[in-house]
Amino acid sequence: MIPHSVPRVLRMGPARLTAGLDHTRRLDLPAHRTLHGDQVPRTLDDIIALVEEVDMRGRGGAAFPFARKLRAVADAARGGECVVLVNGAEGEPASSKDAMLLVRNPHLVLDGAVLAAEALNAREVVLATVEGEVAKSSIEAAVAERRAANVAGAAESRINIRVVGLQEKFISGEGGALVRAVNGLEAVPPGRKRRASTSGVDGLPTLLSNTETFTQLAVLAELGAEEYARVGTSREPGTTLLSVSGGAANAAVVEVPTGTPLINVLEMCEAEIGDGVLIGGYHGAWLDAETAISAIISREGMKMAGGSLGAGIIVPLGESTCSLGEAARVAAYLAAQSSGQCGPCRLGLPDVARALSALVDGSGSTDSIRRSVRAVERRGACFHPDGTAKFVLSTLDAFESDIALHQEHGSCGRPVRGILPLPEREDEPEYRLEVDWTRCQGHGLCAHLLPEFVSLDDYGFPSFKTVPGWMVKEAGRAVDMCPALALRLAQAH
């Protein structure tokens, strides 16, 4: 199976995770084994010693020590069954590195996952990715190749490899939401912290990490700690994958050694910095042009610059678009992508998005945005409200001069070109609340339940805004709870 089009790959320094991809669009099993050799099983103690020697961290954004995850799963399983879960459902529109690995180098992903599964004596490897995408087809083909070749003998044959397709949403890659989806439940965060290492897939202890993490494990096992650490920094050895897009003329997934100057990556991708560079994706932060020029690609380097490397997302803004308008597009997207199961997501994030949009047309203020942000911070059922708040507050800090132009003139004079990547919008149904005025007694309960979409006049009677599809459950609840049975919900035309 060779896809017609594949994610573009560039590199600086040695090719490790991207080795061989300059010669072929996808490495099938024979090509993979020629390049990387046969996988050698290792004990859990050996793997833990390897990852601790190079201080390997998860590459999904949180940078959690991988050795601690391995120990936690082993301790919870106590010699019993466990599962390895590969998170290939990025969800983040600005990230493409995991999709690149699944499409172009799927066997390296599987090598790392099977290596961990064998060491943990796991029951199965589950690989979760987006339904209907080329990445899912590619990894399914890779699993079929392995079954046909039976390349790893009895050890690998004992481990079932299962591919699960998920609906693409921003929150689909959140750990709790991912586990729920694999278990056949709605892909929303569970609302309370529940570690996958204790209870994950089918209630079993689960080693959960993202696609690049398992690929790094495979490379580390192949090279050994000493060779692996020949590139990168002493504290963060090895290479990392970056998804570079936005204002980059040569957008690509780029493999670079840690310690590489950010400006070198931007120049390779022919990227204009413009007003700034977004680091860490839509839960990340903006670096202004001066800071971006001196920033270093590493966890420590990005922290010193005031950002976070996260999942390796780099989005230069360029000079041709309205920075504030671009940020408002993303804030509206993030509000619509919430699961809507807690107040900060259901009510607070739409309020934040509207406040930022008002600032774009010059009618809003930074104070109103900060008030809206304070209403959602540290109050959500998951990290989504806090991540969105971080992005919006960073926007206010990074684009002060642009904000001043909007407040004074209603515009900065530049159009919103859609530089920040977002998925194509599907036509979602909208709904409207209708009232039977012969029944309505002005109780005001509907406005209490749906304050974002229902307002009351001086006499306590309601008027309504159009309800988006993602709020239809809450609107239905308001209809059901109307004490006068005066409300009904209809699809808007």
Side-chain angles (χ1 to χ4, degrees):
M1 176 268 181
I2 300 176
H4 293 291
S5 61
V6 294
R8 181 176 174 80
V9 168
L10 298 173
R11 67 177 66 93
M12 302 178 71
R16 292 182 171 179
L17 282 68
T18 61
L21 298 184
D22 48 353
H23 302 300
T24 183
R25 289 180 293 173
R26 178 184 182 271
L27 289 170
D28 61 12
L29 186 57
H32 170 76
R33 289 297 180 222
T34 298
L35 190 63
H36 294 283
D38 292 329
Q39 186 181 29
V40 179
R42 293 174 179 265
T43 67
L44 182 61
D45 288 341
D46 285 345
I47 292 178
I48 289 176
L50 266 178
V51 299
E52 284 187 328
E53 189 169 349
V54 299
D55 190 22
M56 195 176 105
R57 304 294 184 97
R59 302 301 176 98
F64 193 84
F66 193 63
R68 286 173 59 184
K69 282 191 176 184
L70 287 164
R71 282 201 178 94
V73 173
D75 290 345
R78 299 179 182 275
E81 289 187 333
C82 62
V83 175
V84 170
L85 176 56
V86 183
N87 185 353
E90 286 171 301
E92 163 73 66
S95 181
S96 54
K97 64 171 185 173
D98 286 353
M100 183 279 293
L101 289 170
L102 294 174
V103 170
R104 303 196 63 181
N105 209 356
H107 288 287
L108 199 59
V109 178
L110 290 173
D111 271 1
V114 170
L115 186 69
E118 289 173 345
L120 288 166
N121 196 28
R123 182 179 76 179
E124 69 174 348
V125 170
V126 180
L127 201 145
T129 187
V130 179
E131 182 65 52
E133 296 293 327
V134 175
K136 182 171 181 285
S137 299
S138 176
I139 197 69
E140 286 175 334
V143 172
E145 286 179 281
R146 287 179 174 236
R147 287 173 180 162
N150 194 22
V151 293
E156 185 169 346
S157 66
R158 288 198 302 266
I159 300 171
N160 180 54
I161 304 176
R162 177 162 58 104
V163 180
V164 177
L166 308 178
Q167 182 181 0
E168 185 172 18
K169 286 186 175 181
F170 188 83
I171 60 169
S172 62
E174 192 272 338
L178 186 78
V179 169
R180 283 177 55 86
V182 171
N183 286 336
L185 303 174
E186 187 179 2
V188 297
R192 59 187 179 89
K193 188 66 176 178
R194 190 176 185 180
R195 295 192 181 278
S197 58
T198 302
S199 178
V201 175
D202 296 333
L204 297 173
T206 299
L207 177 66
L208 168 60
S209 202
N210 89 315
T211 304
E212 186 191 345
T213 309
F214 286 104
T215 310
Q216 292 281 1
L217 177 62
V219 170
L220 174 60
E222 176 188 345
L223 298 178
E226 183 177 353
E227 182 63 25
Y228 182 90
R230 285 190 186 278
V231 298
T233 69
S234 59
R235 299 182 67 171
E236 300 176 39
T239 66
T240 191
L241 293 179
L242 308 173
S243 300
V244 185
S245 61
N250 200 11
V253 175
V254 186
E255 183 177 15
V256 301
T258 56
T260 300
L262 173 60
I263 190 63
N264 291 2
V265 177
L266 296 175
E267 287 175 351
M268 171 182 275
C269 295
E270 301 176 41
E272 292 181 347
I273 295 176
D275 288 343
V277 180
L278 181 64
I279 301 293
Y282 295 158
H283 281 173
W286 291 98
L287 303 184
D288 60 37
E290 183 178 354
T291 304
I293 289 172
S294 60
I296 300 298
I297 299 294
S298 68
R299 297 190 306 272
E300 185 177 9
M302 286 301 166
K303 184 177 181 180
M304 291 177 62
S308 172
L309 186 59
I313 297 166
I314 297 177
V315 189
L317 195 55
E319 299 176 348
S320 65
T321 192
C322 169
S323 54
L324 198 58
E326 293 283 352
R329 288 176 59 243
V330 172
Y333 164 77
L334 294 174
Q337 284 291 301
S338 82
S339 60
Q341 63 179 343
C342 68
C345 271
R346 190 177 70 249
L347 305 175
L349 293 187
D351 189 42
V352 171
R354 280 193 292 273
L356 189 55
S357 292
L359 192 61
V360 174
D361 65 25
S363 64
S365 69
T366 57
D367 287 342
S368 66
I369 295 172
R370 294 184 189 279
R371 283 195 299 270
S372 298
V373 166
R374 284 196 294 271
V376 304
E377 286 183 303
R378 297 181 295 279
R379 298 181 182 182
C382 68
F383 184 72
H384 185 55
D386 286 343
T388 304
K390 178 182 177 183
F391 171 81
V392 171
L393 292 177
S394 176
T395 296
L396 299 186
D397 294 337
F399 304 137
E400 287 184 354
S401 59
D402 202 37
I403 289 171
L405 288 174
H406 280 262
Q407 289 181 316
E408 183 175 355
H409 303 291
S411 171
C412 64
R414 292 176 293 181
V416 180
R417 298 188 180 278
I419 295 296
L420 297 186
L422 289 177
E424 293 185 11
R425 291 191 63 177
E426 297 181 1
D427 291 332
E428 291 188 354
E430 291 187 329
Y431 299 83
R432 67 174 185 270
L433 287 165
E434 297 178 345
V435 63
D436 181 347
W437 294 111
T438 65
R439 290 177 174 269
C440 182
Q441 299 173 19
H443 291 94
L445 180 60
C446 53
H448 175 73
L449 294 172
L450 291 171
E452 297 296 317
F453 305 100
V454 183
S455 58
L456 301 178
D457 63 19
D458 293 340
Y459 300 97
F461 290 96
S463 60
F464 308 104
K465 297 178 181 178
T466 301
V467 178
W470 56 276
M471 280 293 295
V472 70
K473 288 184 180 179
E474 294 300 319
R477 178 168 170 258
V479 169
D480 294 340
M481 295 184 69
C482 176
L485 303 179
L487 281 181
R488 75 182 185 94
L489 189 64
Q491 188 165 332
H493 299 291

